[in-house]
Amino acid sequence: MKVGILGTATVGRTLAARLGQLGHDVMNGTRDPKATQARSDADMYGNPPFRIWSEDHPDIGLGSFAEAAAHGDIVINATAGGASLGVVRLAGEGNLEGKVLLDVANPLDTSQGMPPPLLMSNTDSLAEQIQRLLPGARVVKSLNTVNAAVMVDPGRVGGGDHSVFLSGNDADAKATVADLLRSFGWTDIIDLGDITTARGPEMLLAVWLRLLGVLRTPMYNFKVVR
Amino acid sequence: MKVGILGTATVGRTLAARLGQLGHDVMNGTRDPKATQARSDADMYGNPPFRIWSEDHPDIGLGSFAEAAAHGDIVINATAGGASLGVVRLAGEGNLEGKVLLDVANPLDTSQGMPPPLLMSNTDSLAEQIQRLLPGARVVKSLNTVNAAVMVDPGRVGGGDHSVFLSGNDADAKATVADLLRSFGWTDIIDLGDITTARGPEMLLAVWLRLLGVLRTPMYNFKVVR
């Protein structure tokens, strides 16, 4: 499958590497590909510049947000939540029309120290905002409740015995994402309903971020025990 | 231990019955004890009137909110979240001074149909509001992320292999509540930190209420797998 990934930071790279490994034809999208390629310093988290990462992942393409969106049969929003609406606009409505747009981002206000509060009111979500902005795209929210490493390899926490959520208006789009999740190793995939249900997994970040402070590792997840 | 419970609905009754069974001296508090005693119809959920329930639980006292608060060495807020601040005011600052006030309520806006949104912004919580209103009380948030039946008997879901959270500014108060939780059967008790961390478990309700629609039973809980 052709996959376009909006974003070149940890989440975008981790998804790209795993999808490439699974045989998909992947292109990461960035605001300015030349600038991304030219960067030679590690980012604020100590991640190597994209160019260095790219040498280890020669099969992963790099283009603008619009090129990555045009490339994908399925497109993944892996940008910082506060920037996502602007990025999706740059990706272009036409390039996303009719496509599955998997949104894994969290709308966090990172300007106020840790832990960041949500940018969203309790009666909206980033996923809904993206869906309203792009009525022709088939937005599915998922994977935002775990760390990038766990997204693509759930077995790294508790042998994979934990849960992931799906929210979206289009049943076929959710089935496509569920197949992708299963290929990553996910087994307990819970369809919460339409795109408004994305509020729940986004608001889960409030307790997730506090657990990060308590557990001092991002390698955890919630299991819905029933 | 003497326990005052603010509220006489399902959560208040379930906690009272279990605490009585464990040998505690329990009094439920209500706005108008005579009116509560006089009621002869089931409530909107089909629960029998308090008087009928009371016949099966003769050791559980009934008083005003203020009397129940005065009775308890520890006091539990088991009222509807939208009413809690008013109830706590009626209970009386003096009757709660220095006491552990365990808040198990959820601030839900039940006026707008199902599922109810939270009444709270993302940068506040009911527990914090109660703590600000009563600076002398030692407020602890816990148990709000599960159904009443699971609160007092976690073994009814997945053999009890799931998690419960604690939030509060006073370490001794949290230790007292943790002992109470262990006496109910809880084993994975996670101290999230100060009272501001209550935002996380309160916001968890957004996904909890959607799961209620999907699973069609309230008998579930989250386990923090790590």
Side-chain angles (χ1 to χ4, degrees):
Chain A
M1 201 159 59
K2 289 184 164 191
V3 185
I5 299 180
L6 308 177
T8 55
T10 303
V11 176
R13 292 182 197 183
T14 306
L15 286 164
R18 176 69 160 147
L19 287 163
Q21 194 185 48
L22 290 168
H24 299 290
D25 176 3
V26 184
M27 182 188 290
N28 282 92
T30 186
R31 199 170 298 268
D32 179 345
K34 277 186 191 155
T36 297
Q37 288 283 21
R39 215 161 285 146
S40 56
D41 295 328
D43 69 13
M44 58 185 288
Y45 304 105
N47 297 308
F50 190 83
R51 185 164 47 80
I52 302 296
W53 178 85
S54 199
E55 286 169 11
D56 291 332
H57 302 87
D59 296 337
I60 309 295
L62 180 70
S64 66
F65 289 131
E67 286 165 339
H71 171 83
D73 301 317
I74 172 174
V75 179
I76 304 177
N77 173 36
T79 59
S84 293
L85 289 176
V87 167
V88 163
R89 257 187 219 105
L90 288 173
E93 191 165 0
N95 292 326
L96 293 162
E97 184 71 24
K99 292 184 182 173
V100 175
L101 177 53
L102 169 57
D103 173 33
V104 306
N106 282 305
L108 302 176
D109 180 358
T110 50
S111 70
Q112 301 193 37
M114 285 296 287
L118 287 166
L119 285 166
M120 212 56 58
S121 80
N122 291 329
T123 53
D124 201 3
S125 61
L126 176 62
E128 287 167 88
Q129 291 186 335
I130 294 174
Q131 184 66 83
R132 287 198 299 270
L133 186 67
L134 302 172
R138 297 184 292 155
V139 179
V140 177
K141 186 95 198 185
S142 191
L143 288 177
N144 69 300
T145 53
V146 288
N147 176 262
V150 182
M151 285 183 185
V152 300
D153 190 2
R156 291 185 58 180
V157 169
D161 185 21
H162 44 87
S163 312
V164 67
F165 305 105
L166 288 178
S167 302
N169 295 337
D170 186 294
D172 289 341
K174 286 191 280 193
T176 299
V177 172
D179 284 343
L180 207 62
L181 296 180
R182 275 186 285 271
S183 76
F184 290 164
W186 288 95
T187 53
D188 188 25
I189 302 167
I190 302 177
D191 184 348
L192 292 174
D194 68 26
I195 197 69
T196 68
T197 66
R199 295 170 201 173
E202 290 188 11
M203 289 167 74
L204 203 57
L205 263 284
V207 69
W208 196 96
L209 289 164
R210 291 298 191 161
L211 284 167
L212 185 62
V214 172
L215 303 176
R216 295 177 186 280
T217 164
M219 301 305 283
Y220 55 89
N221 189 22
F222 297 97
K223 175 184 176 180
V224 179
V225 180
R226 66 274 200 191
Chain B
M1 199 159 60
K2 289 185 164 190
V3 185
I5 300 180
L6 308 177
T8 54
T10 302
V11 176
R13 294 181 194 182
T14 306
L15 286 164
R18 176 68 161 149
L19 288 163
Q21 192 185 51
L22 289 168
H24 299 290
D25 176 3
V26 183
M27 183 189 289
N28 282 93
T30 186
R31 198 170 300 268
D32 179 345
K34 279 186 188 154
T36 297
Q37 288 282 19
R39 216 161 283 145
S40 58
D41 296 328
D43 70 11
M44 59 185 287
Y45 304 106
N47 297 310
F50 189 83
R51 185 163 48 79
I52 302 296
W53 178 85
S54 198
E55 286 168 11
D56 291 334
H57 302 87
D59 296 336
I60 310 295
L62 181 69
S64 66
F65 289 131
E67 287 166 338
H71 170 82
D73 301 317
I74 172 173
V75 179
I76 304 177
N77 173 35
T79 59
S84 293
L85 289 176
V87 167
V88 163
R89 258 188 218 104
L90 289 173
E93 191 165 359
N95 292 325
L96 293 162
E97 184 70 24
K99 293 183 181 173
V100 175
L101 177 54
L102 169 57
D103 173 34
V104 306
N106 282 305
L108 303 175
D109 180 358
T110 51
S111 70
Q112 301 192 37
M114 286 296 289
L118 286 166
L119 284 166
M120 212 56 57
S121 81
N122 291 331
T123 52
D124 202 3
S125 61
L126 175 61
E128 288 167 87
Q129 292 186 332
I130 294 174
Q131 184 66 83
R132 287 198 299 271
L133 186 64
L134 301 172
R138 297 184 292 155
V139 179
V140 177
K141 187 94 197 186
S142 192
L143 289 177
N144 69 300
T145 53
V146 288
N147 176 263
V150 182
M151 285 183 186
V152 301
D153 190 2
R156 291 185 59 180
V157 169
D161 185 20
H162 43 86
S163 311
V164 67
F165 305 104
L166 288 178
S167 303
N169 296 337
D170 187 294
D172 288 341
K174 285 191 282 193
T176 299
V177 171
D179 284 343
L180 206 64
L181 297 180
R182 275 186 285 269
S183 76
F184 290 165
W186 287 97
T187 52
D188 188 26
I189 302 168
I190 301 177
D191 183 348
L192 292 174
D194 68 25
I195 198 68
T196 68
T197 66
R199 295 170 200 172
E202 290 188 9
M203 289 167 74
L204 203 57
L205 263 283
V207 68
W208 197 96
L209 289 163
R210 291 298 191 160
L211 283 168
L212 184 63
V214 172
L215 303 176
R216 295 175 186 280
T217 165
M219 302 304 283
Y220 54 89
N221 189 23
F222 297 96
K223 174 183 177 180
V224 180
V225 180
R226 67 273 200 191

